[in-house]
Amino acid sequence: MVEIELDGKKVEIAEGSMVMHAAEKAGTYIPHFCYHKKLTIAANCRMCLVDIEKAPKPMPACCTPVTQGMVVRTKSEKAIKAQKSVMEFLLINHPLDCPICDQGGECQLQDLAVGYGASASRYEEEKRVVLHKDVGPLISMEEMTRCIHCTRCIRFGQEVGGVMELGMIHRGEHSEITTVAGDTIDSELSGNMIDICPVGALTSKPFRYSARTWELSRRKSISPHDSTGANLIVQVKNHRVMRVLPFENEDVNECWIADRDRFSYEALTGPDRLERPMLKQGGEWREVDWQTALEYVANGLQDIDAEHGSASIGALVSPHSTLEELYLAGALVRGIGSGNIDYRLRNADFEPAPGVRWLGRSIASLSTLDAVLVVGSNVRKDHPLFAQRIRQAQRKGGVVSSVNSVQPDWAMPVANSLVACASEWLRALAEIAAAVARTNEVSAPVSDIEPSAVSSDIAKALLRGENKAILLGNAAAHHSQASKLLALCNWIGEQTGASVGYLTEAANTVGAQWVNALPDAGALHAGQMLSGALKGVLLLNTEPVWDSAAGAGAVGALAGADMVVTLSPFKTNMDFSDVLLPIAPFTETSGSFVNAEARLQSFHAVVRPLGETRPGWKVLRVLANLMEIPGFEFETSQDVLGQIAGAQSNAAALPSALLSNRSEALVSSDVSGVANEAPASAAIYQLDSLVRRSPSLQATRDGRAAVGEVQP
C-alpha cells in the first residue's frame, strides 16, 4: 500500500493505482470525460488535470501513478486554471446546442461547463462540422459534431463488447469517430455506448426526441429476458415506459445491460397489446368483460374435468413468467386434480432432476476463470452479459474452449474448438473425458474412446489453473441426451476440479424449478402435452409456435383440444385459442425472478396496467376462487412469495440444499447419437414475446438474420 496526501487528507491506496483511483477512494470528485472505471485509461481529454507537488505542470489524474508521500491538490488555483483551460478548448468546436440536444439534462459536458466554462469564448473562427452517420436502428450518430474524442465508445467495443465497431479516422482538427466502411453497429451490447458517451454524440434512436430526462420518473426493475437477471432503471412518463437504463450491480450486470434489455420496451405499447379479455365464438373473436371470460374458462375446465377427467387438463408455462405466476399456475392445475404442468417447452430430454439446475457458481466469478469449457451454446448471443464476463477472463489469460455444432464468432479468442454435429456431442465429451483419464491415470467413463488432438488440448486447459468451469448452454439443456451430457460433464468436472453448471435459458428457469412448474410422477411432460394429449390447455405467457420444440406442429396439436386458454400481454395464439386473457408484462406487475446463480430478485410495477390488463397472479387466483379450489387467499404478490419461500421469505437466494447439477443418468459404452439431431434453441431476438415485438431489435442484423433476411 502507498500513502498519499489528497487535498490535505491521508489516503492509502494499492501500489500501481492512479491518482484518480485514490480520489475515488477518498470520495473526492475530479472532473473527467475520457476516464471510465470499466475501461482502459486513454488520457485523451485532459480534463482531470491536478496539481501535484514538485511536478513542473498539472498532471492528468487518470494516468499518473501514485507514489509514497505524493501530495495532490485537486482544488488549487493551478488545478482549477488548468481545468478551465481544457474546458475552453473542448468548447471551441462544440455547437452549444443544448436546448435541442437529447442529452440535455444528463450531459457531463453541460454539467462541467457550468462549473469550469467561461461566459464567452475567445474563439471567433469557423467551427468544425462532422457529417452524421447511419449506423443502424439502435444508435443515433446524427450530431457527431458534438463529439469530444474521448474514445469511450471505441474502447468499450474493443474491451467489453469484443468488437471494434467504431474507430477514429483522420488527425487533429479533422479527427472523427466512425464505423469501418460505413458498416452498422451490430453488437448485442451496443446500447451501452449511449450510456457512456459523455456528450450528445451517441444517443438512443428509439428514444430520440420523445422526452426530456427531467420529465422522467426513475424506477428499479429486473430484466425478464435471459438468466442474468440484469438490474434495470425504467424511466416513465405519463404511465408509459420511455426508456430503460442499467442499474449498477457489480455482482450481477456491473453497469451494463444487453440491447434486448434496453430496447424491448417498445413492445409494451405496440399494436399487438391485448387490452381486454376476448372469446372466440363461431370462429369470430369478440371482447368481453373479465367476469364473463373467467366464468367461461372456469365452467369449461370443470366440464372437461367431468367428461374426460382431470388428467386431460394441463398447463404449458413460460420460464419468463414471474415466480408467483408459475407457483399459482402449478397450484391451480394440481387443485383441479392434474399434475400436467411444464415449463420445458424446448426440451427433448425430460428425465427428472435430483435438484434445481443452476450456474454452479456466482456470476461475478465468471470474470476470473482460468479455463472454461462451453458446451452447446452460442454464449455471445444467448447470454451477452455472461459472454462479456468470460471475455474479461480471457483478456486476463483465461483459456476458452467449446463443444458446438458450429463455432460462431464469440468476439473473443477461442483456444480450442471441438466442432461436431449435435448428435456427436456425447462422443466429443467422452473423448475429453478419455484425455483427462489418461492424464490422471484413472479409468475413463466410456471405454475404447481415443481422444483427438482438440480433445486433449481441452483436457489440458481444464487440468491447469485453479478457477475452472464447464458450462452447458441452451442447446445442451434442450438436447435429447441432456442427462448423459451432464453426467459426462460432471465426471470431467470431478477429475479436473471444474465447477459444472447450466447457463440456463430464461429469466426464471431456476425459479420455475424451485416452485415445481414440472409434471408430477406419471403426469404428462411438455413434449407429450404438445403432441395433442390434452383436452384443456392453459398457456401462460407462452407462444408454442415460437417457444417450443414442436414449432409450427404445435398448432395442429393444440387445435384438437376442447379449450385452449392463453394468458398473455399480447394478441397471440389466436389460431388455436378459445380465450385470451390479458395479463401484465413485467413493467405492470410486481413479482420475482431467480437468475442463473439462484439469486432471488423482486420488483414492483413501474406503470399502471394498460386497458383492462391484470397481473397474471391475480388472474390465476380469481380463476381458482371461481373453481372453489382452496388455498388461494392471497392479497398481494408478496403473500404468494411468502407462501413459496416459507421461513426463507426474506432470503436473497435459494437455499443451497435445493441446488444440484448431479445427474442420475448412466453413460454406456454406446455414445452414438440420433442422426440429424438439432436441439431447439431461440435466436437472440426471438427468445420471448417482448423481444419478438420490438421493431428496433427486429431491424438489427441479428433480428433480420433470424427471419432469413440477411446472412447471420
Side-chain angles (χ1 to χ4, degrees):
M1 299 294 284
V2 173
E3 186 178 81
I4 71 168
E5 183 182 311
L6 184 78
D7 292 338
K9 294 188 294 184
K10 300 292 184 182
V11 181
E12 278 196 357
I13 192 76
E15 190 174 356
S17 301
M18 304 297 159
V19 173
M20 183 71 81
H21 302 143
E24 287 178 344
K25 186 176 181 179
T28 300
Y29 177 73
I30 298 176
H32 60 273
F33 293 112
C34 69
Y35 171 78
H36 191 280
K37 64 182 179 181
K38 293 293 183 181
L39 304 176
T40 55
I41 292 167
N44 288 332
C45 71
R46 279 343 208 213
M47 191 66 207
C48 63
L49 292 175
V50 293
D51 179 12
I52 297 178
E53 194 173 84
K54 297 180 182 178
K57 59 182 182 180
M59 303 293 288
C62 67
C63 65
T64 302
V66 295
T67 58
Q68 183 64 37
M70 177 185 277
V71 178
V72 181
R73 302 181 184 90
T74 68
K75 303 291 189 295
S76 68
E77 183 182 350
K78 185 177 179 181
I80 298 295
K81 184 180 178 182
Q83 291 161 2
K84 287 186 174 182
S85 298
V86 170
M87 177 58 70
E88 183 178 18
F89 277 111
L90 288 175
L91 293 177
I92 277 177
N93 276 304
H94 201 80
L96 301 178
D97 55 356
C98 298
I100 65 148
C101 180
D102 239 27
Q103 198 84 343
E106 54 185 8
C107 174
Q108 276 183 258
L109 184 68
Q110 189 180 59
D111 294 342
L112 293 179
V114 172
Y116 299 90
S119 58
S121 175
R122 292 179 288 171
Y123 183 80
E124 297 178 352
E125 285 75 24
E126 188 174 335
K127 293 195 174 191
R128 173 197 67 193
V129 176
V130 181
L131 294 177
H132 72 274
K133 290 109 176 148
D134 185 2
V135 294
L138 304 181
I139 297 177
S140 173
M141 296 179 72
E142 290 291 320
E143 285 87 17
M144 290 305 293
T145 304
R146 299 170 185 160
C147 178
I148 61 170
H149 302 157
C150 71
T151 68
R152 277 185 178 183
C153 55
I154 298 173
R155 285 176 284 143
F156 172 85
Q158 289 178 297
E159 297 163 19
V160 181
V163 185
M164 187 176 173
E165 295 179 295
L166 292 175
M168 186 177 288
I169 60 172
H170 308 311
R171 299 185 67 184
E173 171 82 358
H174 304 290
S175 298
E176 59 181 275
I177 305 289
T178 185
T179 57
V180 178
D183 291 344
T184 55
I185 295 175
D186 299 306
S187 164
E188 60 285 343
L189 298 171
S190 64
N192 294 292
M193 296 181 189
I194 300 166
D195 294 339
I196 63 175
C197 180
V199 297
L202 304 181
T203 54
S204 170
K205 193 171 278 189
F207 174 71
R208 188 173 169 84
Y209 297 144
S210 59
R212 290 295 197 179
T213 181
W214 55 82
E215 300 174 319
L216 304 174
S217 301
R218 292 160 174 81
R219 294 158 190 176
K220 291 172 63 176
S221 191
I222 305 296
S223 168
H225 305 301
D226 63 36
S227 58
T228 308
N231 291 205
L232 310 176
I233 293 289
V234 182
Q235 298 192 326
V236 175
K237 179 184 177 183
N238 297 331
H239 288 281
R240 177 171 176 160
V241 176
M242 305 300 293
R243 188 166 63 166
V244 176
L245 299 174
F247 181 80
E248 187 171 348
N249 187 334
E250 279 297 313
D251 295 330
V252 181
N253 56 297
E254 299 177 272
C255 54
W256 317 119
I257 54 174
D259 285 353
R260 62 184 170 199
D261 302 327
R262 186 183 300 273
F263 297 108
S264 63
Y265 74 88
E266 290 181 294
L268 298 170
T269 52
D272 277 0
R273 275 299 301 267
L274 178 65
E275 297 187 38
R276 292 171 183 81
M278 298 181 75
L279 293 182
K280 186 189 286 184
Q281 295 184 332
E284 297 291 326
W285 285 99
R286 67 182 185 91
E287 293 183 347
V288 296
D289 60 77
W290 270 105
Q291 187 71 20
T292 302
L294 290 172
E295 287 180 355
Y296 182 88
V297 173
N299 294 332
L301 291 176
Q302 287 170 336
D303 290 346
I304 293 169
D305 184 10
E307 185 175 350
H308 301 284
S310 58
S312 65
I313 298 171
L316 293 165
V317 298
S318 168
H320 300 278
S321 303
T322 67
L323 204 62
E324 294 79 1
E325 291 166 352
L326 292 168
Y327 173 78
L328 291 181
L332 173 64
V333 169
R334 293 184 174 99
I336 294 171
S338 173
N340 305 326
I341 180 172
D342 210 340
Y343 76 93
R344 302 167 298 174
L345 275 70
R346 293 192 177 100
N347 284 35
D349 182 351
F350 298 97
E351 287 294 317
V356 175
R357 305 296 198 211
W358 68 302
L359 187 62
R361 58 173 47 245
S362 69
I363 292 173
S365 69
L366 296 176
S367 304
T368 61
L369 290 172
D370 297 317
V372 58
L373 170 60
V374 180
V375 182
S377 174
N378 182 359
V379 65
R380 176 184 170 189
K381 302 298 181 182
D382 294 344
H383 302 89
L385 292 170
F386 289 173
Q388 77 88 13
R389 284 198 180 264
I390 295 171
R391 194 172 294 118
Q392 290 180 37
Q394 190 279 324
R395 286 172 58 87
K396 298 171 189 171
V399 179
V400 181
S401 306
S402 79
V403 174
N404 235 323
S405 51
V406 295
Q407 184 49 62
D409 179 13
W410 288 355
M412 71 179 93
V414 178
N416 311 297
S417 179
L418 206 167
V419 177
C421 62
S423 59
E424 295 295 321
W425 288 355
L426 196 63
R427 183 176 184 85
L429 288 174
E431 288 183 11
I432 297 170
V436 171
R438 183 175 295 179
T439 303
N440 288 357
E441 298 181 349
V442 296
S443 298
V446 181
S447 58
D448 302 323
I449 293 286
E450 192 66 26
S452 65
V454 179
S455 304
S456 299
D457 290 341
I458 294 174
K460 288 176 185 174
L462 289 173
L463 287 163
R464 290 195 294 263
E466 297 295 324
N467 194 3
K468 298 164 288 192
I470 301 172
L471 303 173
L472 290 95
N474 298 347
H478 304 155
H479 200 282
S480 63
Q481 297 173 306
S483 300
K484 292 182 179 179
L485 292 175
L486 177 59
L488 272 175
C489 287
N490 278 329
W491 189 92
I492 297 169
E494 288 168 6
Q495 292 295 321
T496 60
S499 68
V500 178
Y502 281 95
L503 292 167
T504 67
E505 182 180 43
N508 223 3
T509 300
V510 175
Q513 300 172 75
W514 183 31
V515 299
N516 198 29
L518 293 162
D520 296 342
L524 302 176
H525 57 65
Q528 294 166 325
M529 287 190 270
L530 285 165
S531 64
L534 297 177
K535 294 297 182 182
V537 187
L538 293 174
L539 299 176
L540 176 61
N541 207 24
T542 186
E543 300 170 289
V545 172
W546 297 96
D547 295 331
S548 76
V555 175
L558 294 171
D562 292 351
M563 175 182 279
V564 178
V565 182
T566 292
L567 294 86
S568 172
F570 304 103
K571 296 175 183 175
T572 186
N573 302 336
M574 302 183 79
D575 291 341
F576 49 82
S577 292
D578 300 287
V579 187
L580 299 182
L581 301 178
I583 62 170
F586 79 106
T587 53
E588 299 169 18
T589 183
S590 56
S592 308
F593 292 133
V594 183
N595 72 357
E597 64 176 359
R599 182 186 295 265
L600 174 62
Q601 301 183 109
S602 297
F603 56 91
H604 298 286
V606 300
V607 293
R608 64 188 177 206
L610 185 67
E612 294 183 21
T613 299
R614 297 290 182 268
W617 71 268
K618 279 189 179 181
V619 175
L620 292 164
R621 183 203 67 190
V622 174
L623 186 57
N625 293 338
L626 287 173
M627 298 179 71
E628 299 182 350
I629 300 173
F632 281 79
E633 295 77 28
F634 303 108
E635 295 297 326
T636 65
S637 64
Q638 285 76 21
D639 293 342
V640 184
L641 181 61
Q643 178 72 20
I644 299 167
Q648 301 288 326
S649 57
N650 295 320
L654 267 64
S656 57
L658 298 177
L659 305 173
S660 176
N661 289 323
R662 290 186 300 108
S663 175
E664 306 297 335
L666 298 174
V667 183
S668 65
S669 56
D670 181 13
V671 290
S672 59
V674 181
N676 301 318
E677 179 182 292
S681 191
I684 182 171
Y685 298 138
Q686 296 294 324
L687 182 63
D688 58 72
S689 56
L690 280 172
V691 296
R692 286 195 287 269
R693 289 171 171 85
S694 169
S696 296
L697 292 177
Q698 295 307 314
T700 62
R701 185 175 184 85
D702 283 320
R704 290 178 289 129
V707 295
E709 292 184 13
V710 295
Q711 290 294 316

